[in-house]
Amino acid sequence: MSSVEDIEIAGVPVRVYRPFEASSPAPAFLYFHGGGWTIGDLELADSTVRDISIAAEAIGISVDYRLAPENPFPAALDDALAVTTAVLKGESGLNIDVNHVGVAGDSAGGNLAAVVAQQLRGQEPRLAHQALVYPATDLSGLRTSSHSEFAEGHFLTARDLQYFYANYVGKADATDPRLSPALNADLTDLPPATVITAGCDPLRDEGESYARAMSEADNTVTSVRFTGQVHPFLFIGGVIEDANVARRLIGTQLRASFSNPAAKLSER
């Protein structure tokens, strides 16, 4: 990195990664870390955002949103929207090209990125891309084959999911699309998407189902399953090479959208 700086945008703590110094406005992406809206922080996502930033050739903004249960829904979403909106409006204080901004996140952060993409669609400037890594897309009690197959013994368990969902949802209606983006009846006009799933993850099926639903709604979608991997593999680049592959893929997809937002990315 050319520089790494902890600041606030729209009153929310963020960490800004600059892979290079630029005299002109540069593309950027916002990253929302995982952890079930309950755990996780800027440190957890640090190496991931660094690698994506380098591959994307873009400024990375890691968002330290408020956590449940002390701050249940919609606190995390409000923070994610506040920072993203400020960046798109040119109010971040950073030298960012507001026409080339993407969002990304894993697990709970993938949920936030998906909801932010839905909430801001149609607004100008438009988001250039959304990268969703094993996102939680339906908190309403959905039971898929992967939920059953990987309920135990593959790091993220069914009990973990119940705990995290209860903390974040609180007294809200879990069928609200701002909690469960897959339940939004209108998935048209979304930013191009990259959806990454892990083969041995209870969230695998709902992530891939959301990718298909977005594609069927005539959005550009790249969906990639990392066979044999477990839920948090993206953060374990020091041990799992697929994590580094996934980080480079996210960065490459972001960079392609920044270079030519209208271009159709590869589909798998």
Side-chain angles (χ1 to χ4, degrees), residues 43-214:
E43 300 303 329
L44 177 67
D46 184 77
S47 67
T48 299
V49 181
R50 287 172 183 266
D51 287 348
I52 295 172
S53 180
I54 291 169
E57 299 179 0
I59 295 170
I61 303 171
S62 188
V63 181
D64 195 13
Y65 57 85
R66 287 171 290 170
L67 299 177
E70 294 82 2
N71 300 285
F73 173 83
L77 176 59
D78 286 346
D79 289 352
L81 281 169
V83 177
T84 308
T85 299
V87 169
L88 289 172
K89 287 185 175 180
E91 299 173 353
S92 66
L94 304 173
N95 193 22
I96 289 174
D97 181 350
V98 298
N99 293 304
H100 297 98
V101 175
V103 290
D106 66 281
S107 193
N111 170 280
L112 294 173
V115 176
V116 166
Q118 289 187 5
Q119 293 289 300
L120 297 183
R121 63 178 157 184
Q123 298 187 26
E124 297 292 341
R126 297 173 64 91
L127 285 171
H129 200 79
Q130 54 176 323
L132 316 178
V133 183
Y134 32 73
T137 63
D138 188 344
L139 281 59
S140 69
L142 173 72
R143 290 294 175 266
T144 67
S145 296
S146 62
H147 282 139
S148 300
E149 185 176 358
F150 306 111
E152 298 289 340
H154 294 82
F155 192 87
L156 181 68
T157 67
R159 183 178 181 182
D160 293 336
L161 288 175
Q162 292 172 0
Y163 173 75
F164 290 142
Y165 291 2
N167 283 343
Y168 183 51
V169 174
K171 297 180 180 179
D173 179 1
T175 65
D176 186 331
R178 296 176 300 159
L179 279 163
S180 299
L183 300 184
N184 195 324
D186 181 8
L187 296 179
T188 61
D189 197 30
L190 293 173
T194 298
V195 180
I196 292 174
T197 56
C200 302
D201 179 3
L203 296 183
R204 181 195 68 197
D205 290 353
E206 65 186 83
E208 293 175 359
S209 176
Y210 187 59
R212 287 192 298 272
M214 287 193 290

